[in-house]
PDB file of all heavy atoms in Angstrom:
ATOM      1  N   ARG A   1       0.826  -1.204   0.036  1.00  0.00           N
ATOM      2  CA  ARG A   1       0.019  -0.017   0.002  1.00  0.00           C
ATOM      3  C   ARG A   1       0.882   1.263   0.004  1.00  0.00           C
ATOM      4  O   ARG A   1       0.543   2.224  -0.674  1.00  0.00           O
ATOM      5  CB  ARG A   1      -0.925   0.026   1.194  1.00  0.00           C
ATOM      6  CG  ARG A   1      -2.100  -0.953   1.077  1.00  0.00           C
ATOM      7  CD  ARG A   1      -2.986  -0.854   2.262  1.00  0.00           C
ATOM      8  NE  ARG A   1      -4.048  -1.855   2.193  1.00  0.00           N
ATOM      9  CZ  ARG A   1      -4.652  -2.388   3.227  1.00  0.00           C
ATOM     10  NH1 ARG A   1      -4.290  -2.018   4.495  1.00  0.00           N
ATOM     11  NH2 ARG A   1      -5.599  -3.267   3.082  1.00  0.00           N
ATOM     12  N   VAL A   2       1.917   1.245   0.818  1.00  0.00           N
ATOM     13  CA  VAL A   2       2.847   2.378   0.850  1.00  0.00           C
ATOM     14  C   VAL A   2       3.500   2.570  -0.509  1.00  0.00           C
ATOM     15  O   VAL A   2       3.608   3.675  -1.037  1.00  0.00           O
ATOM     16  CB  VAL A   2       3.915   2.203   1.991  1.00  0.00           C
ATOM     17  CG1 VAL A   2       5.016   3.244   1.826  1.00  0.00           C
ATOM     18  CG2 VAL A   2       3.254   2.311   3.329  1.00  0.00           C
ATOM     19  N   ALA A   3       3.934   1.441  -1.115  1.00  0.00           N
ATOM     20  CA  ALA A   3       4.628   1.515  -2.431  1.00  0.00           C
ATOM     21  C   ALA A   3       3.626   2.092  -3.503  1.00  0.00           C
ATOM     22  O   ALA A   3       4.077   2.959  -4.246  1.00  0.00           O
ATOM     23  CB  ALA A   3       5.040   0.105  -2.855  1.00  0.00           C
ATOM     24  N   VAL A   4       2.417   1.698  -3.491  1.00  0.00           N
ATOM     25  CA  VAL A   4       1.452   2.217  -4.493  1.00  0.00           C
ATOM     26  C   VAL A   4       1.204   3.703  -4.218  1.00  0.00           C
ATOM     27  O   VAL A   4       1.211   4.499  -5.125  1.00  0.00           O
ATOM     28  CB  VAL A   4       0.149   1.432  -4.484  1.00  0.00           C
ATOM     29  CG1 VAL A   4      -0.945   2.131  -5.241  1.00  0.00           C
ATOM     30  CG2 VAL A   4       0.346  -0.012  -4.975  1.00  0.00           C
ATOM     31  N   LYS A   5       1.033   4.054  -2.946  1.00  0.00           N
ATOM     32  CA  LYS A   5       0.778   5.441  -2.580  1.00  0.00           C
ATOM     33  C   LYS A   5       1.955   6.337  -3.021  1.00  0.00           C
ATOM     34  O   LYS A   5       1.781   7.372  -3.634  1.00  0.00           O
ATOM     35  CB  LYS A   5       0.561   5.560  -1.089  1.00  0.00           C
ATOM     36  CG  LYS A   5       0.320   6.964  -0.666  1.00  0.00           C
ATOM     37  CD  LYS A   5       0.147   7.047   0.875  1.00  0.00           C
ATOM     38  CE  LYS A   5      -0.010   8.496   1.250  1.00  0.00           C
ATOM     39  NZ  LYS A   5       0.584   8.865   2.520  1.00  0.00           N
ATOM     40  N   GLU A   6       3.159   5.880  -2.762  1.00  0.00           N
ATOM     41  CA  GLU A   6       4.356   6.658  -3.130  1.00  0.00           C
ATOM     42  C   GLU A   6       4.540   6.693  -4.637  1.00  0.00           C
ATOM     43  O   GLU A   6       5.011   7.712  -5.158  1.00  0.00           O
ATOM     44  CB  GLU A   6       5.567   6.152  -2.405  1.00  0.00           C
ATOM     45  CG  GLU A   6       5.544   6.325  -0.902  1.00  0.00           C
ATOM     46  CD  GLU A   6       5.478   7.797  -0.468  1.00  0.00           C
ATOM     47  OE1 GLU A   6       5.967   8.689  -1.215  1.00  0.00           O
ATOM     48  OE2 GLU A   6       4.927   8.068   0.589  1.00  0.00           O
ATOM     49  N   MET A   7       4.264   5.637  -5.312  1.00  0.00           N
ATOM     50  CA  MET A   7       4.351   5.646  -6.809  1.00  0.00           C
ATOM     51  C   MET A   7       3.316   6.593  -7.419  1.00  0.00           C
ATOM     52  O   MET A   7       3.664   7.322  -8.351  1.00  0.00           O
ATOM     53  CB  MET A   7       4.111   4.247  -7.384  1.00  0.00           C
ATOM     54  CG  MET A   7       5.342   3.364  -7.263  1.00  0.00           C
ATOM     55  SD  MET A   7       6.805   3.969  -8.184  1.00  0.00           S
ATOM     56  CE  MET A   7       6.199   3.906  -9.881  1.00  0.00           C
ATOM     57  N   ARG A   8       2.148   6.698  -6.846  1.00  0.00           N
ATOM     58  CA  ARG A   8       1.171   7.664  -7.311  1.00  0.00           C
ATOM     59  C   ARG A   8       1.652   9.101  -7.070  1.00  0.00           C
ATOM     60  O   ARG A   8       1.448   9.953  -7.950  1.00  0.00           O
ATOM     61  CB  ARG A   8      -0.225   7.421  -6.630  1.00  0.00           C
ATOM     62  CG  ARG A   8      -0.905   6.171  -7.148  1.00  0.00           C
ATOM     63  CD  ARG A   8      -2.205   5.952  -6.418  1.00  0.00           C
ATOM     64  NE  ARG A   8      -2.796   4.748  -6.920  1.00  0.00           N
ATOM     65  CZ  ARG A   8      -3.732   4.020  -6.280  1.00  0.00           C
ATOM     66  NH1 ARG A   8      -4.088   4.387  -5.052  1.00  0.00           N
ATOM     67  NH2 ARG A   8      -4.308   2.952  -6.839  1.00  0.00           N
ATOM     68  N   ALA A   9       2.225   9.338  -5.928  1.00  0.00           N
ATOM     69  CA  ALA A   9       2.780  10.647  -5.632  1.00  0.00           C
ATOM     70  C   ALA A   9       3.926  10.985  -6.610  1.00  0.00           C
ATOM     71  O   ALA A   9       4.012  12.089  -7.090  1.00  0.00           O
ATOM     72  CB  ALA A   9       3.238  10.713  -4.170  1.00  0.00           C
ATOM     73  N   CYS A  10       4.755  10.002  -6.859  1.00  0.00           N
ATOM     74  CA  CYS A  10       5.848  10.170  -7.845  1.00  0.00           C
ATOM     75  C   CYS A  10       5.291  10.495  -9.209  1.00  0.00           C
ATOM     76  O   CYS A  10       5.749  11.437  -9.888  1.00  0.00           O
ATOM     77  CB  CYS A  10       6.691   8.939  -7.900  1.00  0.00           C
ATOM     78  SG  CYS A  10       7.830   8.804  -9.241  1.00  0.00           S
ATOM     79  N   ARG A  11       4.268   9.771  -9.631  1.00  0.00           N
ATOM     80  CA  ARG A  11       3.638   9.981 -10.959  1.00  0.00           C
ATOM     81  C   ARG A  11       3.080  11.408 -11.004  1.00  0.00           C
ATOM     82  O   ARG A  11       3.348  12.124 -12.019  1.00  0.00           O
ATOM     83  CB  ARG A  11       2.493   8.989 -11.116  1.00  0.00           C
ATOM     84  CG  ARG A  11       1.599   9.204 -12.383  1.00  0.00           C
ATOM     85  CD  ARG A  11       0.329   8.455 -12.329  1.00  0.00           C
ATOM     86  NE  ARG A  11      -0.465   8.920 -11.194  1.00  0.00           N
ATOM     87  CZ  ARG A  11      -1.467   8.199 -10.698  1.00  0.00           C
ATOM     88  NH1 ARG A  11      -1.765   7.046 -11.172  1.00  0.00           N
ATOM     89  NH2 ARG A  11      -2.163   8.688  -9.697  1.00  0.00           N
ATOM     90  N   ASP A  12       2.502  11.910  -9.970  1.00  0.00           N
ATOM     91  CA  ASP A  12       1.897  13.237  -9.947  1.00  0.00           C
ATOM     92  C   ASP A  12       3.025  14.312  -9.979  1.00  0.00           C
ATOM     93  O   ASP A  12       2.926  15.279 -10.746  1.00  0.00           O
ATOM     94  CB  ASP A  12       1.034  13.446  -8.741  1.00  0.00           C
ATOM     95  CG  ASP A  12      -0.214  12.586  -8.750  1.00  0.00           C
ATOM     96  OD1 ASP A  12      -0.550  12.047  -9.833  1.00  0.00           O
ATOM     97  OD2 ASP A  12      -0.837  12.457  -7.690  1.00  0.00           O
ATOM     98  N   ARG A  13       4.092  14.039  -9.258  1.00  0.00           N
ATOM     99  CA  ARG A  13       5.234  15.055  -9.236  1.00  0.00           C
ATOM    100  C   ARG A  13       5.852  15.154 -10.613  1.00  0.00           C
ATOM    101  O   ARG A  13       6.160  16.225 -11.086  1.00  0.00           O
ATOM    102  CB  ARG A  13       6.272  14.607  -8.245  1.00  0.00           C
ATOM    103  CG  ARG A  13       6.020  14.998  -6.823  1.00  0.00           C
ATOM    104  CD  ARG A  13       7.211  14.793  -5.915  1.00  0.00           C
ATOM    105  NE  ARG A  13       7.830  13.467  -5.995  1.00  0.00           N
ATOM    106  CZ  ARG A  13       7.441  12.408  -5.278  1.00  0.00           C
ATOM    107  NH1 ARG A  13       6.413  12.482  -4.451  1.00  0.00           N
ATOM    108  NH2 ARG A  13       8.067  11.231  -5.448  1.00  0.00           N
ATOM    109  N   ILE A  14       6.113  14.007 -11.222  1.00  0.00           N
ATOM    110  CA  ILE A  14       6.752  13.982 -12.525  1.00  0.00           C
ATOM    111  C   ILE A  14       5.831  14.604 -13.606  1.00  0.00           C
ATOM    112  O   ILE A  14       6.316  15.419 -14.427  1.00  0.00           O
ATOM    113  CB  ILE A  14       7.198  12.537 -12.929  1.00  0.00           C
ATOM    114  CG1 ILE A  14       8.317  12.081 -12.018  1.00  0.00           C
ATOM    115  CG2 ILE A  14       7.562  12.492 -14.405  1.00  0.00           C
ATOM    116  CD1 ILE A  14       8.733  10.647 -12.220  1.00  0.00           C
ATOM    117  N   TRP A  15       4.578  14.316 -13.518  1.00  0.00           N
ATOM    118  CA  TRP A  15       3.647  14.913 -14.498  1.00  0.00           C
ATOM    119  C   TRP A  15       3.651  16.450 -14.343  1.00  0.00           C
ATOM    120  O   TRP A  15       3.717  17.196 -15.313  1.00  0.00           O
ATOM    121  CB  TRP A  15       2.269  14.369 -14.342  1.00  0.00           C
ATOM    122  CG  TRP A  15       1.317  15.044 -15.297  1.00  0.00           C
ATOM    123  CD1 TRP A  15       0.396  16.034 -15.018  1.00  0.00           C
ATOM    124  CD2 TRP A  15       1.253  14.836 -16.722  1.00  0.00           C
ATOM    125  NE1 TRP A  15      -0.269  16.420 -16.175  1.00  0.00           N
ATOM    126  CE2 TRP A  15       0.258  15.701 -17.246  1.00  0.00           C
ATOM    127  CE3 TRP A  15       1.967  14.013 -17.595  1.00  0.00           C
ATOM    128  CZ2 TRP A  15      -0.072  15.746 -18.562  1.00  0.00           C
ATOM    129  CZ3 TRP A  15       1.610  14.052 -18.958  1.00  0.00           C
ATOM    130  CH2 TRP A  15       0.627  14.896 -19.427  1.00  0.00           C
ATOM    131  N   GLU A  16       3.588  16.875 -13.108  1.00  0.00           N
ATOM    132  CA  GLU A  16       3.584  18.346 -12.780  1.00  0.00           C
ATOM    133  C   GLU A  16       4.845  18.995 -13.319  1.00  0.00           C
ATOM    134  O   GLU A  16       4.803  20.139 -13.821  1.00  0.00           O
ATOM    135  CB  GLU A  16       3.446  18.547 -11.308  1.00  0.00           C
ATOM    136  CG  GLU A  16       3.299  19.963 -10.861  1.00  0.00           C
ATOM    137  CD  GLU A  16       1.857  20.441 -10.874  1.00  0.00           C
ATOM    138  OE1 GLU A  16       0.922  19.615 -10.963  1.00  0.00           O
ATOM    139  OE2 GLU A  16       1.685  21.647 -10.833  1.00  0.00           O
ATOM    140  N   ALA A  17       5.999  18.373 -13.136  1.00  0.00           N
ATOM    141  CA  ALA A  17       7.253  18.999 -13.468  1.00  0.00           C
ATOM    142  C   ALA A  17       7.585  18.913 -14.947  1.00  0.00           C
ATOM    143  O   ALA A  17       8.079  19.894 -15.516  1.00  0.00           O
ATOM    144  CB  ALA A  17       8.388  18.312 -12.674  1.00  0.00           C
ATOM    145  N   VAL A  18       7.386  17.762 -15.615  1.00  0.00           N
ATOM    146  CA  VAL A  18       7.874  17.579 -16.956  1.00  0.00           C
ATOM    147  C   VAL A  18       6.889  16.971 -17.894  1.00  0.00           C
ATOM    148  O   VAL A  18       7.202  16.626 -19.035  1.00  0.00           O
ATOM    149  CB  VAL A  18       9.194  16.795 -16.990  1.00  0.00           C
ATOM    150  CG1 VAL A  18      10.345  17.508 -16.348  1.00  0.00           C
ATOM    151  CG2 VAL A  18       8.998  15.380 -16.419  1.00  0.00           C
ATOM    152  N   GLN A  19       5.627  16.833 -17.496  1.00  0.00           N
ATOM    153  CA  GLN A  19       4.546  16.278 -18.333  1.00  0.00           C
ATOM    154  C   GLN A  19       4.896  14.935 -18.949  1.00  0.00           C
ATOM    155  O   GLN A  19       4.672  14.673 -20.108  1.00  0.00           O
ATOM    156  CB  GLN A  19       4.118  17.259 -19.444  1.00  0.00           C
ATOM    157  CG  GLN A  19       3.331  18.480 -18.932  1.00  0.00           C
ATOM    158  CD  GLN A  19       4.211  19.394 -18.153  1.00  0.00           C
ATOM    159  OE1 GLN A  19       5.286  19.806 -18.602  1.00  0.00           O
ATOM    160  NE2 GLN A  19       3.817  19.838 -16.967  1.00  0.00           N
ATOM    161  N   VAL A  20       5.479  14.069 -18.128  1.00  0.00           N
ATOM    162  CA  VAL A  20       5.710  12.683 -18.534  1.00  0.00           C
ATOM    163  C   VAL A  20       4.768  11.821 -17.679  1.00  0.00           C
ATOM    164  O   VAL A  20       4.745  11.910 -16.388  1.00  0.00           O
ATOM    165  CB  VAL A  20       7.164  12.286 -18.271  1.00  0.00           C
ATOM    166  CG1 VAL A  20       7.347  10.804 -18.519  1.00  0.00           C
ATOM    167  CG2 VAL A  20       8.099  13.064 -19.227  1.00  0.00           C
ATOM    168  N   GLU A  21       4.018  10.937 -18.351  1.00  0.00           N
ATOM    169  CA  GLU A  21       3.120  10.033 -17.660  1.00  0.00           C
ATOM    170  C   GLU A  21       3.930   8.820 -17.223  1.00  0.00           C
ATOM    171  O   GLU A  21       4.598   8.160 -18.028  1.00  0.00           O
ATOM    172  CB  GLU A  21       2.013   9.583 -18.601  1.00  0.00           C
ATOM    173  CG  GLU A  21       1.010   8.668 -17.970  1.00  0.00           C
ATOM    174  CD  GLU A  21      -0.060   8.206 -18.943  1.00  0.00           C
ATOM    175  OE1 GLU A  21      -0.031   8.618 -20.137  1.00  0.00           O
ATOM    176  OE2 GLU A  21      -0.916   7.412 -18.573  1.00  0.00           O
ATOM    177  N   VAL A  22       3.836   8.513 -15.947  1.00  0.00           N
ATOM    178  CA  VAL A  22       4.553   7.363 -15.385  1.00  0.00           C
ATOM    179  C   VAL A  22       3.609   6.220 -15.200  1.00  0.00           C
ATOM    180  O   VAL A  22       2.544   6.369 -14.592  1.00  0.00           O
ATOM    181  CB  VAL A  22       5.239   7.744 -14.040  1.00  0.00           C
ATOM    182  CG1 VAL A  22       5.912   6.499 -13.404  1.00  0.00           C
ATOM    183  CG2 VAL A  22       6.272   8.837 -14.243  1.00  0.00           C
ATOM    184  N   LYS A  23       4.011   5.059 -15.710  1.00  0.00           N
ATOM    185  CA  LYS A  23       3.187   3.822 -15.515  1.00  0.00           C
ATOM    186  C   LYS A  23       4.175   2.777 -14.897  1.00  0.00           C
ATOM    187  O   LYS A  23       5.358   2.905 -15.000  1.00  0.00           O
ATOM    188  CB  LYS A  23       2.705   3.303 -16.865  1.00  0.00           C
ATOM    189  CG  LYS A  23       1.789   4.251 -17.567  1.00  0.00           C
ATOM    190  CD  LYS A  23       1.325   3.642 -18.889  1.00  0.00           C
ATOM    191  CE  LYS A  23       0.375   4.632 -19.620  1.00  0.00           C
ATOM    192  NZ  LYS A  23      -0.126   4.041 -20.813  1.00  0.00           N
ATOM    193  N   TRP A  24       3.554   1.778 -14.253  1.00  0.00           N
ATOM    194  CA  TRP A  24       4.420   0.770 -13.646  1.00  0.00           C
ATOM    195  C   TRP A  24       3.665  -0.573 -13.597  1.00  0.00           C
ATOM    196  O   TRP A  24       2.419  -0.614 -13.699  1.00  0.00           O
ATOM    197  CB  TRP A  24       4.836   1.168 -12.245  1.00  0.00           C
ATOM    198  CG  TRP A  24       3.715   1.453 -11.259  1.00  0.00           C
ATOM    199  CD1 TRP A  24       3.088   0.548 -10.459  1.00  0.00           C
ATOM    200  CD2 TRP A  24       3.047   2.699 -11.054  1.00  0.00           C
ATOM    201  NE1 TRP A  24       2.111   1.141  -9.734  1.00  0.00           N
ATOM    202  CE2 TRP A  24       2.065   2.471 -10.087  1.00  0.00           C
ATOM    203  CE3 TRP A  24       3.235   3.993 -11.578  1.00  0.00           C
ATOM    204  CZ2 TRP A  24       1.201   3.480  -9.648  1.00  0.00           C
ATOM    205  CZ3 TRP A  24       2.389   4.960 -11.094  1.00  0.00           C
ATOM    206  CH2 TRP A  24       1.429   4.733 -10.143  1.00  0.00           C
ATOM    207  N   THR A  25       4.435  -1.641 -13.517  1.00  0.00           N
ATOM    208  CA  THR A  25       3.828  -2.975 -13.378  1.00  0.00           C
ATOM    209  C   THR A  25       3.701  -3.374 -11.936  1.00  0.00           C
ATOM    210  O   THR A  25       4.300  -2.766 -11.057  1.00  0.00           O
ATOM    211  CB  THR A  25       4.736  -3.965 -14.155  1.00  0.00           C
ATOM    212  OG1 THR A  25       5.992  -4.076 -13.448  1.00  0.00           O
ATOM    213  CG2 THR A  25       4.912  -3.590 -15.605  1.00  0.00           C
ATOM    214  N   LYS A  26       2.945  -4.436 -11.702  1.00  0.00           N
ATOM    215  CA  LYS A  26       2.824  -4.996 -10.329  1.00  0.00           C
ATOM    216  C   LYS A  26       4.152  -5.445  -9.783  1.00  0.00           C
ATOM    217  O   LYS A  26       4.339  -5.366  -8.596  1.00  0.00           O
ATOM    218  CB  LYS A  26       1.807  -6.141 -10.365  1.00  0.00           C
ATOM    219  CG  LYS A  26       0.407  -5.721 -10.601  1.00  0.00           C
ATOM    220  CD  LYS A  26      -0.532  -6.907 -10.544  1.00  0.00           C
ATOM    221  CE  LYS A  26      -1.967  -6.444 -10.853  1.00  0.00           C
ATOM    222  NZ  LYS A  26      -2.876  -7.587 -10.851  1.00  0.00           N
ATOM    223  N   ASP A  27       4.980  -5.920 -10.642  1.00  0.00           N
ATOM    224  CA  ASP A  27       6.337  -6.359 -10.205  1.00  0.00           C
ATOM    225  C   ASP A  27       7.130  -5.241  -9.578  1.00  0.00           C
ATOM    226  O   ASP A  27       7.877  -5.444  -8.643  1.00  0.00           O
ATOM    227  CB  ASP A  27       7.110  -6.946 -11.356  1.00  0.00           C
ATOM    228  CG  ASP A  27       6.544  -8.224 -11.915  1.00  0.00           C
ATOM    229  OD1 ASP A  27       5.769  -8.851 -11.143  1.00  0.00           O
ATOM    230  OD2 ASP A  27       6.902  -8.637 -12.998  1.00  0.00           O
ATOM    231  N   VAL A  28       6.900  -4.017 -10.037  1.00  0.00           N
ATOM    232  CA  VAL A  28       7.631  -2.850  -9.488  1.00  0.00           C
ATOM    233  C   VAL A  28       7.156  -2.637  -8.067  1.00  0.00           C
ATOM    234  O   VAL A  28       7.971  -2.341  -7.162  1.00  0.00           O
ATOM    235  CB  VAL A  28       7.434  -1.608 -10.363  1.00  0.00           C
ATOM    236  CG1 VAL A  28       8.005  -0.334  -9.644  1.00  0.00           C
ATOM    237  CG2 VAL A  28       8.076  -1.764 -11.688  1.00  0.00           C
ATOM    238  N   VAL A  29       5.857  -2.717  -7.850  1.00  0.00           N
ATOM    239  CA  VAL A  29       5.292  -2.542  -6.478  1.00  0.00           C
ATOM    240  C   VAL A  29       5.836  -3.578  -5.563  1.00  0.00           C
ATOM    241  O   VAL A  29       6.231  -3.315  -4.408  1.00  0.00           O
ATOM    242  CB  VAL A  29       3.756  -2.575  -6.540  1.00  0.00           C
ATOM    243  CG1 VAL A  29       3.169  -2.615  -5.135  1.00  0.00           C
ATOM    244  CG2 VAL A  29       3.251  -1.394  -7.333  1.00  0.00           C
ATOM    245  N   GLU A  30       5.897  -4.848  -6.050  1.00  0.00           N
ATOM    246  CA  GLU A  30       6.462  -5.953  -5.252  1.00  0.00           C
ATOM    247  C   GLU A  30       7.909  -5.697  -4.886  1.00  0.00           C
ATOM    248  O   GLU A  30       8.335  -5.907  -3.749  1.00  0.00           O
ATOM    249  CB  GLU A  30       6.292  -7.270  -5.902  1.00  0.00           C
ATOM    250  CG  GLU A  30       4.876  -7.720  -6.114  1.00  0.00           C
ATOM    251  CD  GLU A  30       4.073  -7.862  -4.778  1.00  0.00           C
ATOM    252  OE1 GLU A  30       4.702  -8.351  -3.786  1.00  0.00           O
ATOM    253  OE2 GLU A  30       2.913  -7.508  -4.768  1.00  0.00           O
ATOM    254  N   LYS A  31       8.671  -5.243  -5.837  1.00  0.00           N
ATOM    255  CA  LYS A  31      10.124  -4.961  -5.615  1.00  0.00           C
ATOM    256  C   LYS A  31      10.255  -3.834  -4.582  1.00  0.00           C
ATOM    257  O   LYS A  31      11.156  -3.890  -3.728  1.00  0.00           O
ATOM    258  CB  LYS A  31      10.734  -4.577  -6.969  1.00  0.00           C
ATOM    259  CG  LYS A  31      12.230  -4.492  -6.932  1.00  0.00           C
ATOM    260  CD  LYS A  31      12.804  -5.895  -7.158  1.00  0.00           C
ATOM    261  CE  LYS A  31      14.333  -5.734  -7.402  1.00  0.00           C
ATOM    262  NZ  LYS A  31      15.014  -6.907  -7.036  1.00  0.00           N
ATOM    263  N   LEU A  32       9.428  -2.807  -4.697  1.00  0.00           N
ATOM    264  CA  LEU A  32       9.495  -1.688  -3.729  1.00  0.00           C
ATOM    265  C   LEU A  32       9.072  -2.178  -2.378  1.00  0.00           C
ATOM    266  O   LEU A  32       9.711  -1.786  -1.324  1.00  0.00           O
ATOM    267  CB  LEU A  32       8.577  -0.556  -4.203  1.00  0.00           C
ATOM    268  CG  LEU A  32       9.067   0.251  -5.381  1.00  0.00           C
ATOM    269  CD1 LEU A  32       7.865   1.120  -5.962  1.00  0.00           C
ATOM    270  CD2 LEU A  32      10.258   1.077  -5.055  1.00  0.00           C
ATOM    271  N   ALA A  33       8.053  -2.992  -2.261  1.00  0.00           N
ATOM    272  CA  ALA A  33       7.617  -3.502  -0.976  1.00  0.00           C
ATOM    273  C   ALA A  33       8.711  -4.330  -0.352  1.00  0.00           C
ATOM    274  O   ALA A  33       9.002  -4.276   0.872  1.00  0.00           O
ATOM    275  CB  ALA A  33       6.338  -4.355  -1.141  1.00  0.00           C
ATOM    276  N   ALA A  34       9.409  -5.110  -1.158  1.00  0.00           N
ATOM    277  CA  ALA A  34      10.544  -5.902  -0.640  1.00  0.00           C
ATOM    278  C   ALA A  34      11.664  -4.982  -0.112  1.00  0.00           C
ATOM    279  O   ALA A  34      12.318  -5.332   0.889  1.00  0.00           O
ATOM    280  CB  ALA A  34      11.058  -6.834  -1.751  1.00  0.00           C
ATOM    281  N   ALA A  35      11.884  -3.884  -0.765  1.00  0.00           N
ATOM    282  CA  ALA A  35      12.909  -2.917  -0.301  1.00  0.00           C
ATOM    283  C   ALA A  35      12.526  -2.364   1.087  1.00  0.00           C
ATOM    284  O   ALA A  35      13.379  -1.947   1.872  1.00  0.00           O
ATOM    285  CB  ALA A  35      13.051  -1.773  -1.288  1.00  0.00           C
ATOM    286  N   GLY A  36      11.238  -2.301   1.400  1.00  0.00           N
ATOM    287  CA  GLY A  36      10.803  -1.723   2.668  1.00  0.00           C
ATOM    288  C   GLY A  36      10.707  -2.739   3.797  1.00  0.00           C
ATOM    289  O   GLY A  36      10.465  -2.370   4.915  1.00  0.00           O
ATOM    290  N   GLU A  37      11.022  -4.029   3.498  1.00  0.00           N
ATOM    291  CA  GLU A  37      10.903  -5.064   4.539  1.00  0.00           C
ATOM    292  C   GLU A  37      11.850  -4.832   5.721  1.00  0.00           C
ATOM    293  O   GLU A  37      11.577  -5.168   6.842  1.00  0.00           O
ATOM    294  CB  GLU A  37      11.136  -6.422   3.964  1.00  0.00           C
ATOM    295  CG  GLU A  37       9.972  -6.926   3.103  1.00  0.00           C
ATOM    296  CD  GLU A  37      10.199  -8.275   2.443  1.00  0.00           C
ATOM    297  OE1 GLU A  37      11.351  -8.824   2.598  1.00  0.00           O
ATOM    298  OE2 GLU A  37       9.272  -8.776   1.858  1.00  0.00           O
ATOM    299  N   THR A  38      13.013  -4.227   5.459  1.00  0.00           N
ATOM    300  CA  THR A  38      14.004  -4.042   6.557  1.00  0.00           C
ATOM    301  C   THR A  38      13.939  -2.684   7.125  1.00  0.00           C
ATOM    302  O   THR A  38      14.455  -2.485   8.226  1.00  0.00           O
ATOM    303  CB  THR A  38      15.408  -4.294   6.026  1.00  0.00           C
ATOM    304  OG1 THR A  38      15.668  -3.436   4.902  1.00  0.00           O
ATOM    305  CG2 THR A  38      15.601  -5.766   5.606  1.00  0.00           C
ATOM    306  N   GLY A  39      13.363  -1.686   6.447  1.00  0.00           N
ATOM    307  CA  GLY A  39      13.408  -0.305   7.015  1.00  0.00           C
ATOM    308  C   GLY A  39      12.116   0.435   6.966  1.00  0.00           C
ATOM    309  O   GLY A  39      12.064   1.605   7.222  1.00  0.00           O
ATOM    310  N   GLY A  40      11.044  -0.192   6.526  1.00  0.00           N
ATOM    311  CA  GLY A  40       9.745   0.483   6.526  1.00  0.00           C
ATOM    312  C   GLY A  40       9.569   1.306   5.197  1.00  0.00           C
ATOM    313  O   GLY A  40      10.039   0.938   4.134  1.00  0.00           O
ATOM    314  N   ALA A  41       8.936   2.430   5.384  1.00  0.00           N
ATOM    315  CA  ALA A  41       8.535   3.262   4.220  1.00  0.00           C
ATOM    316  C   ALA A  41       9.695   4.066   3.645  1.00  0.00           C
ATOM    317  O   ALA A  41       9.675   4.342   2.451  1.00  0.00           O
ATOM    318  CB  ALA A  41       7.371   4.156   4.580  1.00  0.00           C
ATOM    319  N   ARG A  42      10.618   4.423   4.425  1.00  0.00           N
ATOM    320  CA  ARG A  42      11.712   5.330   3.967  1.00  0.00           C
ATOM    321  C   ARG A  42      12.487   4.681   2.831  1.00  0.00           C
ATOM    322  O   ARG A  42      12.773   5.333   1.798  1.00  0.00           O
ATOM    323  CB  ARG A  42      12.625   5.733   5.074  1.00  0.00           C
ATOM    324  CG  ARG A  42      11.939   6.777   5.951  1.00  0.00           C
ATOM    325  CD  ARG A  42      12.945   7.371   6.930  1.00  0.00           C
ATOM    326  NE  ARG A  42      12.266   8.348   7.746  1.00  0.00           N
ATOM    327  CZ  ARG A  42      12.186   8.357   9.045  1.00  0.00           C
ATOM    328  NH1 ARG A  42      12.838   7.345   9.735  1.00  0.00           N
ATOM    329  NH2 ARG A  42      11.571   9.272   9.721  1.00  0.00           N
ATOM    330  N   PRO A  43      12.889   3.387   2.903  1.00  0.00           N
ATOM    331  CA  PRO A  43      13.626   2.801   1.793  1.00  0.00           C
ATOM    332  C   PRO A  43      12.743   2.752   0.492  1.00  0.00           C
ATOM    333  O   PRO A  43      13.309   2.844  -0.595  1.00  0.00           O
ATOM    334  CB  PRO A  43      13.955   1.389   2.239  1.00  0.00           C
ATOM    335  CG  PRO A  43      13.903   1.451   3.746  1.00  0.00           C
ATOM    336  CD  PRO A  43      12.872   2.530   4.063  1.00  0.00           C
TER     337      PRO A  43
END
């Protein structure tokens, strides 16, 4: 949930700054969630 929320925030920031639409696969969310297993949301 944190990974999806942060990816949506990233998508919005990038669109606002440079008008590039960011898309991602479910695997990216899983990889991000795995990065957070040892340190929570900050990683």
Side-chain angles (χ1 to χ4, degrees):
R1 285 180 184 153
V2 168
V4 168
K5 178 182 177 216
E6 292 300 331
M7 280 299 296
R8 288 177 179 159
C10 168
R11 175 193 61 198
D12 295 345
R13 279 191 308 274
I14 290 174
W15 178 257
E16 185 87 15
V18 293
Q19 287 72 47
V20 171
E21 180 182 1
V22 175
K23 298 180 180 185
W24 59 90
T25 64
K26 289 181 182 179
D27 292 342
V28 172
V29 172
E30 294 300 322
K31 192 84 170 154
L32 288 167
E37 287 177 355
T38 57
R42 285 190 181 124

